[in-house]
Amino acid sequence: MTKAVLVHHTGGPEVLSFEEHAVGAPGAGQVALRQTAIGLNFIDTYQRSGLYPVQTPFVAGNEAAGVITALGDGVSDFQIGDRVAYQGVIGAYAGERLIAADRIVPVPDAIDDQTAAAILLKGLTAYYLLFQTWPLAKGESILWHAAAGGTGQIATQWAKALGATVIGTAGSDEKAALAKAHGCDHVINYNTEDFSAKVRELTNGRGVDVVYDGVGKATFDKSLDCLRPRGLMVSFGNASGVVAIPDITVLARKGSLYVTRPTGVHYYSQRTELLTGAKALFAAVADGSIKVQIKHSFPLAQAEEAHRALEDRQTTGSVVLIP
């Protein structure tokens, strides 16, 4: 048995239930983990609320780091005692768990467990967005919404290291200052400025090459006005609500724009892709291209409070839960 946070029915943060949970022994192709740090992500809130349907009951969470305590039959790439991490596999809010060995990655000695748990999902999101969805080139310009958030801080630093001009948005002057310190050349407080007009001003009327938007409904329409002709709108999250485009000809009117709605499920379905992304991410942290800020941590038993803080925009940078 272990302590875990379960969702028996979807709803607000109050549905998160901290309770005893049976684990069992690893089956073929699985390992058992003793988890040391768990990442908090917006996808956790989407699954908890029912926006992203998951059959109940389920253990919440999608990212963690820990130590292998047992191996199932057929596992040859890992040993008991190895430090590993994973992302995109539901069931993370627990002291112990079982997981398929092909979904975990080794954690280098230079990366501590809390950092690994804080960055893997967000960092791999940044990796596929910057290197695959739109292979960002030196001299290009981007707009990144919620630049002070966990994914935003990782991505804007990485984009800057690639030689891009990085424009970020944030919801307060404090968050704007934080984003400026983490890779943004310019930061727009969207609560006090018209961000689309400001982007046009900063780009001398041209617009940016690509917009990365994890906010969703509240920013989508005006983000289209920030793009140059034939630029790309990347909508990768729904923090403010789900985006809908009732009239697709808006893309033609605003410059023959492209729109995509990617997800890591399709970028990391193969183990080789997962290992490539994780290797690049850990290397960028090790060489200083990405500096990680873990601004908040909560005991796992306080997952409800952590969800409230995340959804109320009370957090900056990465957040971890400690079993």
Side-chain angles (χ1 to χ4, degrees):
M1 301 292 286
T2 189
K3 288 289 189 179
V5 176
L6 277 78
V7 176
H8 294 279
H9 58 87
T10 57
E14 69 278 357
V15 305
L16 296 172
S17 175
F18 186 63
E19 58 189 72
E20 293 285 341
H21 180 67
V23 179
Q30 290 185 317
V31 301
L33 295 182
R34 175 179 56 81
Q35 304 200 127
T36 53
I38 300 161
L40 177 69
N41 297 280
F42 266 105
I43 190 174
D44 306 349
T45 71
Y46 302 156
Q47 292 167 339
R48 184 214 72 222
S49 70
L51 178 63
Y52 289 2
V54 177
Q55 184 174 349
T56 56
F58 63 89
V59 176
N62 294 268
E63 173 185 43
V67 178
I68 295 176
T69 58
L71 305 174
D73 290 342
V75 176
S76 58
D77 292 340
F78 295 97
Q79 298 180 351
I80 292 173
D82 283 353
R83 296 172 57 242
V84 298
Y86 65 89
Q87 61 85 39
V89 185
I90 201 166
Y93 287 13
E96 301 175 24
R97 75 164 299 173
L98 305 179
I99 190 169
D102 64 0
R103 303 315 299 167
I104 59 176
V105 298
V107 176
D109 291 341
I111 307 295
D112 64 78
D113 287 6
Q114 287 198 27
T115 298
I119 66 169
L120 194 58
L121 192 152
K122 300 172 188 69
L124 288 181
T125 299
Y127 177 80
Y128 79 70
L129 292 173
L130 297 174
F131 289 84
Q132 297 176 307
T133 303
W134 178 283
L136 190 62
K138 183 178 181 179
E140 291 184 325
S141 58
I142 72 169
L143 173 64
W144 194 288
H145 285 299
T151 304
Q153 286 188 26
I154 293 171
T156 54
Q157 291 180 85
W158 217 341
K160 187 63 179 175
L162 292 170
T165 297
V166 182
I167 304 172
T169 66
S172 70
D173 290 342
E174 179 185 9
K175 288 185 176 182
L178 186 60
K180 189 71 180 289
H182 287 81
C184 289
D185 296 288
H186 312 280
V187 185
I188 304 165
N189 183 338
Y190 55 70
N191 285 321
T192 60
E193 294 184 275
D194 181 333
F195 72 79
S196 62
K198 188 65 175 178
V199 166
R200 287 291 173 183
E201 177 188 329
L202 291 170
T203 59
N204 297 315
R206 176 182 181 270
V208 295
D209 295 289
V210 56
V211 174
Y212 295 102
D213 186 3
V215 175
K217 186 177 181 179
T219 50
F220 182 85
D221 290 342
K222 291 187 72 173
S223 292
L224 298 179
D225 295 326
C226 298
L227 286 163
R228 65 159 172 84
R230 294 164 56 191
L232 176 65
M233 176 69 194
V234 183
S235 178
F236 68 95
N238 322 286
S240 68
V242 177
V243 170
I245 310 178
D247 177 7
I248 199 170
T249 62
V250 68
L251 303 179
R253 294 194 302 272
K254 292 182 181 292
S256 297
L257 305 177
Y258 296 90
V259 176
T260 186
R261 180 56 174 90
T263 173
V265 171
H266 301 122
Y267 281 89
Y268 298 116
S269 60
Q270 302 299 314
R271 178 154 181 77
T272 53
E273 298 169 333
L274 176 65
L275 292 173
T276 297
K279 182 178 179 180
L281 173 64
F282 290 143
V285 173
D287 71 17
S289 296
I290 298 171
K291 295 179 175 61
V292 180
Q293 277 210 343
I294 302 175
K295 298 282 287 186
H296 311 271
S297 66
F298 295 81
L300 181 58
Q302 294 178 13
E304 176 181 341
E305 290 85 345
H307 274 225
R308 292 190 190 281
L310 183 66
E311 292 180 300
D312 291 343
R313 305 294 193 276
Q314 295 175 3
T315 65
T316 57
S318 296
V319 183
V320 293
L321 306 173
I322 306 300

